[in-house]
Amino acid sequence: EPEVTQTPSHQVTQMGQEVILRCVPISNHLYFYWYRQILGQKVEFLVSFYNNEISEKSEIFDDQFSVERPDGSNFTLKIRSTKLEDSAMYFCASSGRGEQFFGPGTRLTVL
Amino acid sequence: QQQVKQSPQSLIVQKGGISIINCAYENTAFDYFPWYQQFPGKGPALLIAIRPDVSEKKEGRFTISFNKSAKQFSLHIMDSQPGDSATYFCAAANNAGNMLTFGGGTRLMVKP
């Protein structure tokens, strides 16, 4: 069964460093998303991406964040200068025209 | 207006019992209501979803009840099993492909 994959599973970084989280969406999907979940809290929408551009973004997705689809398979989330409060699980999701399927997540720890 | 409120935060049910989780929303533009199941260390997995043109949807032991006038929907898990122990999130969107607004989650424990 096709699934969304994410790498790395765990990323530890120092405050102020740049991180890139990677996702491989399900191959025939056209819509891509990033969500985050701070430990013990609800899942929050960050950004959606379609046709090589951002279609929606939340207040959380400020200038420190960017997304890219550098090739036909990967979808990345970059955080330019990480803050302590960026520590969370980051989930990538993809969809065809309907249900969103989530990856296993990347746990980002900012020290 | 974008919030989705979920209750209870935690729930303990005996094996074979019925688990009921409730959600309420405010945004009348929402027209897609999925439920996700999340095990520790994993991503949310779609369990079942409903649109407001029906009041109930059943898939196996899982049923969504939807009350459009009250802007509420709920998940019923019949014959709950220990393997159902997980965190359940309701969500809402104004289209299946658009941003999901999640509820706060319910941690379900089914005791053997």
Side-chain angles (χ1 to χ4, degrees), chain B residues 53-103:
Chain B
D53 52 345
V54 296
S55 60
E56 187 174 281
K57 183 174 180 180
K58 185 175 180 179
E59 288 184 5
R61 294 184 296 110
F62 301 93
T63 300
I64 300 179
S65 297
F66 185 82
N67 185 330
K68 187 173 181 178
S69 61
K71 291 187 283 186
Q72 294 175 348
F73 58 110
S74 60
L75 175 70
H76 291 63
I77 306 174
M78 312 300 286
D79 187 26
S80 300
Q81 299 296 311
D84 297 330
S85 297
T87 299
Y88 292 81
F89 291 96
C90 64
N94 60 8
N95 184 291
N98 287 355
M99 62 170 278
L100 291 168
T101 300
F102 281 83

Side-chain angles (χ1 to χ4, degrees), chain B residues 6-53:
Chain B
Q6 184 171 346
S7 62
Q9 287 187 313
S10 63
L11 182 61
I12 300 175
V13 172
Q14 291 292 328
K15 179 182 173 182
I18 302 173
S19 304
I20 301 174
I21 305 170
N22 300 297
C23 283
Y25 64 97
E26 297 169 358
N27 188 346
T28 54
F30 287 150
D31 68 355
Y32 172 69
F33 303 90
W35 284 89
Y36 282 83
Q37 179 188 57
Q38 185 181 32
F39 292 106
K42 303 291 186 185
L46 180 66
L47 199 58
I48 186 172
I50 197 169
R51 294 185 186 276
D53 52 345

Side-chain angles (χ1 to χ4, degrees), chain A residues 33 35 37 56 98-100 102, chain B residues 36 38 46 96-98 100:
Chain A
Y33 314 83
Y35 292 81
Q37 184 179 32
E56 278 186 292
E99 291 85 357
Q100 296 178 31
F102 284 73
Chain B
Y36 282 83
Q38 185 181 32
L46 180 66
N98 287 355
L100 291 168

Side-chain angles (χ1 to χ4, degrees), chain A residues 68-86:
Chain A
E68 193 177 30
R69 189 155 161 81
D71 53 42
S73 58
N74 290 284
F75 179 51
T76 62
L77 174 70
K78 181 193 290 186
I79 309 174
R80 265 180 267 282
S81 177
T82 50
K83 308 190 228 357
L84 295 176
E85 54 264 37
D86 293 327

Side-chain angles (χ1 to χ4, degrees), chain A:
Chain A
E1 185 175 319
E3 58 183 18
V4 177
T5 59
Q6 290 184 243
T7 54
S9 57
H10 190 191
Q11 173 92 45
V12 181
T13 190
Q14 294 291 326
M15 188 170 56
Q17 295 297 304
E18 174 183 287
V19 294
I20 297 176
L21 309 183
R22 292 183 166 81
C23 168
V24 178
I26 293 172
S27 64
N28 60 346
H29 284 181
L30 301 176
Y31 299 84
F32 314 113
Y33 314 83
W34 284 101
Y35 292 81
R36 79 170 185 191
Q37 184 179 32
I38 295 171
L39 185 63
Q41 297 186 25
K42 67 179 178 181
V43 179
E44 299 174 291
F45 170 79
L46 292 177
V47 65
S48 59
F49 192 85
Y50 170 72
N51 201 25
N52 282 319
E53 60 184 30
I54 290 172
S55 44
E56 278 186 292
K57 62 181 181 178
S58 71
E59 297 171 348
I60 303 167
F61 193 87
D62 61 22
D63 291 345
Q64 293 300 314
F65 291 87
S66 62
V67 289
E68 193 177 30
R69 189 155 161 81
D71 53 42
S73 58
N74 290 284
F75 179 51
T76 62
L77 174 70
K78 181 193 290 186
I79 309 174
R80 265 180 267 282
S81 177
T82 50
K83 308 190 228 357
L84 295 176
E85 54 264 37
D86 293 327
S87 295
M89 281 289 284
Y90 287 81
F91 294 106
C92 173
S94 70
S95 75
R97 285 179 172 265
E99 291 85 357
Q100 296 178 31
F101 294 88
F102 284 73
T106 292
R107 179 171 298 283
L108 176 65
T109 301
V110 182
L111 302 176

